[in-house]
Amino acid sequence: MKQPRVTIKQVAAEAGVSITTVSHVLNDVPGLRVNPATKQRILEVSGRLGYIPNGLAQSLRTQRSHTIGLIGDEIVTTPFASKLILGAQEVALARDTVLFVVSTGYQRHVEDREIEELLRRQVDGILYASMFHRAVTLPRQLASVPTVFLNAECATPGVPWVAPDEVAGGRDAAEVLLEAGHRRLGFINNVDDIPASSGRLAGFLQRVEEAGVDASSVRVISVESEPAGGYAAAMELLDTPERPSGVFCFNDRLALGAYRACAELGLRVPDDVSIVGFDNHEYVADGVYPGLTTIELPHYDMGVWGAEHLFSLIDGDADGTGAGEVAAAESALLRGPVIHRGSVSSPST
Amino acid sequence: MKQPRVTIKQVAAEAGVSITTVSHVLNDVPGLRVNPATKQRILEVSGRLGYIPNGLAQSLRTQRSHTIGLIGDEIVTTPFASKLILGAQEVALARDTVLFVVSTGYQRHVEDREIEELLRRQVDGILYASMFHRAVTLPRQLASVPTVFLNAECATPGVPWVAPDEVAGGRDAAEVLLEAGHRRLGFINNVDDIPASSGRLAGFLQRVEEAGVDASSVRVISVESEPAGGYAAAMELLDTPERPSGVFCFNDRLALGAYRACAELGLRVPDDVSIVGFDNHEYVADGVYPGLTTIELPHYDMGVWGAEHLFSLIDGDADGTGAGEVAAAESALLRGPVIHRGSVSSPST
DNA sequence: TTGTACGCGTTATCAG
DNA sequence: CTGATAACGCGTACAA
């Protein structure tokens, strides 16, 4: 089944030339004119034999594996991750390189092992992704390899990172509600102390104040970001005459719970209460009725940004002088779009 | 930033031995006793220098890249895929090999290019995955590489494949409903003519008949498998006095639409109508209220099965005689578990 | 027990 | 315009 693959040597023999010449025409070596006739012959033979160069040998020789590693915690398991991977993969593909995707499952020893595995395979660079926006530090083994952090803020200086602009996201959510005319607001936040929860809250309140609404009037409840938590929080928030007319949920799953609470309380979305989510979780935000208006996380864009910067790091490092680092070492906060669906309308009261 | 990596030569020099000896101790060559003292020294030096063997060179030499490719259509983008990848990845990891994951986006030229890219990188084998259960044929370039199909039935003889047992799934769904005491049944199916839709229907009706219920009494409606389709179908199915008390939906998204229809018709799940989904779509099936009882697709298991069989193919081919093919060439239909949540109860009428 | 030397498939340098 | 030949880093017969 596995017949030995055809090598450049065979092509050379079959075409009656040296391997050097074959290599030359196949790689279009610049400034080197080859007799059109032999060139044609080589191309023909190569095609006929189905010759595919051995990338391992090429990489060994050129010191470029055209391979980058994407390492994440449980990144591979989550639906968000796919967008991130997709973004990185598309820019990688455009540069003829492929991705090794590995995930650690949050276990340190697995991470160590996988990083080593990546290095052993001579990846040109590494994309280190976190499933949720958080702060991390550079694993020591990565010190000698171009690395970019995705969906995480890296404390180690000189290492580029990209993460969602949570504050802007919070502001956007407030904007949607304020624009629709809501003034009595609620926010069901996540309890975890991570950039996402503090940032979205800060942005939300910020924007609310700018609109002339007293920030202390918005009721904030923090719960575990599961449907059950959203349900409980919404019950508490909405089961009162002074209930807010607009509620911002830390994420779409929380919003799911809020939907249920509304249904049980006999409140209609969006007529009685408007809801804004966060994540644009596919199959959740658009599967629910009415469709959930939500803020999308820029996963795809982070993947693209990260890969592009990784390449500039790799290329800049090509000479070993570290040039290019300065320009590439900047990090970024990316913003996702607001996805308008049916869960927000003007307040009835 | 990218300092030249340490090679085996440096380790040898530093330890005052030849590279042969270093190679021997690092690879634990069997039947070769090395002086414990030098062995210790080599290990120490190797560790101190942070030596990591160059996998490219190793592979070039040993003709084994310890790499397998996972190629799929839009597999990387979908939540199901991650389970599949995870399964494959875990068995791969256990055998010290990593996965190249690439996706074609259903474009033939992308697929050709990516397969070539995989071959160029000397993958030891290929896992060819489909996002939805369907029949496919072996791309010609893969003829010379060990290949296993995932979530697809391969028409080409000699190529192992693994797919979900749709008929069993349909039977399981019927079982759940029948067990709860339902006799008036409905089935909201997918319109597409794929193994999943025909198989689940067949299994469902089969099991229903076995229970002594006239199969022709179950109302079957085929729609596009989106929430909107499920909603429309459920409205048609349920807005009548003789409505079924138990409904099986082709997938969870369809079930989502059915939930909404129930809500609008004032029917309660599961008190007035029991619903069974399919897929166990994370964040949908358990995010909805009441939780959706559903049949899980064996994605993880397919990944494991596929990778294991791929390895047996690879190892069996090691001698080039093709031995082992016979044993490994069998294919399989895998069955997923029933996930009981709250959407099924005994019929009230 | 340890070292020398060759080959894996390429690319790149330098002659011819 | 074309062809030897030396790396790339490692594994491994074979020799010492």
Side-chain angles (χ1 to χ4, degrees), chain B residues 4-73:
Chain B
R5 292 223 239 288
V6 22
T7 75
I8 195 174
K9 212 177 288 179
Q10 299 174 38
V11 177
E14 183 84 8
V17 296
S18 78
I19 62 168
T20 304
T21 310
V22 177
S23 177
H24 281 167
V25 340
L26 259 33
N27 294 345
D28 263 333
V29 223
L32 214 44
R33 299 226 63 79
V34 185
N35 186 314
T38 64
K39 174 169 181 177
Q40 210 47 49
R41 185 151 33 93
I42 290 171
L43 253 22
E44 186 272 325
V45 171
S46 156
R48 181 157 49 78
L49 264 43
Y51 170 64
I52 295 180
N54 183 322
L56 266 34
Q58 288 180 313
S59 300
L60 189 58
R61 187 61 245 253
T62 61
Q63 302 289 47
R64 241 329 252 272
S65 68
H66 287 276
T67 284
I68 63 181
L70 168 33
I71 184 168
D73 25 53

Side-chain angles (χ1 to χ4, degrees), chain A residues 22-33:
Chain A
V22 176
S23 176
H24 281 167
V25 339
L26 258 33
N27 295 343
D28 262 336
V29 224
L32 213 45
R33 300 227 63 80

Side-chain angles (χ1 to χ4, degrees), chain A residues 8 23 27 51 58 61:
Chain A
I8 195 175
S23 176
N27 295 343
Y51 170 62
Q58 288 180 311
R61 185 60 240 245

Side-chain angles (χ1 to χ4, degrees), chain A residues 253-287:
Chain A
R253 303 199 71 207
L254 239 25
L256 227 48
Y259 265 58
R260 183 185 145 207
C262 288
E264 283 193 16
L265 293 172
L267 298 171
R268 309 196 50 137
V269 178
D271 312 84
D272 301 312
V273 28
S274 288
I275 295 184
V276 173
F278 212 105
D279 287 357
N280 191 28
H281 206 135
E282 60 177 342
Y283 298 149
V284 170
D286 70 342

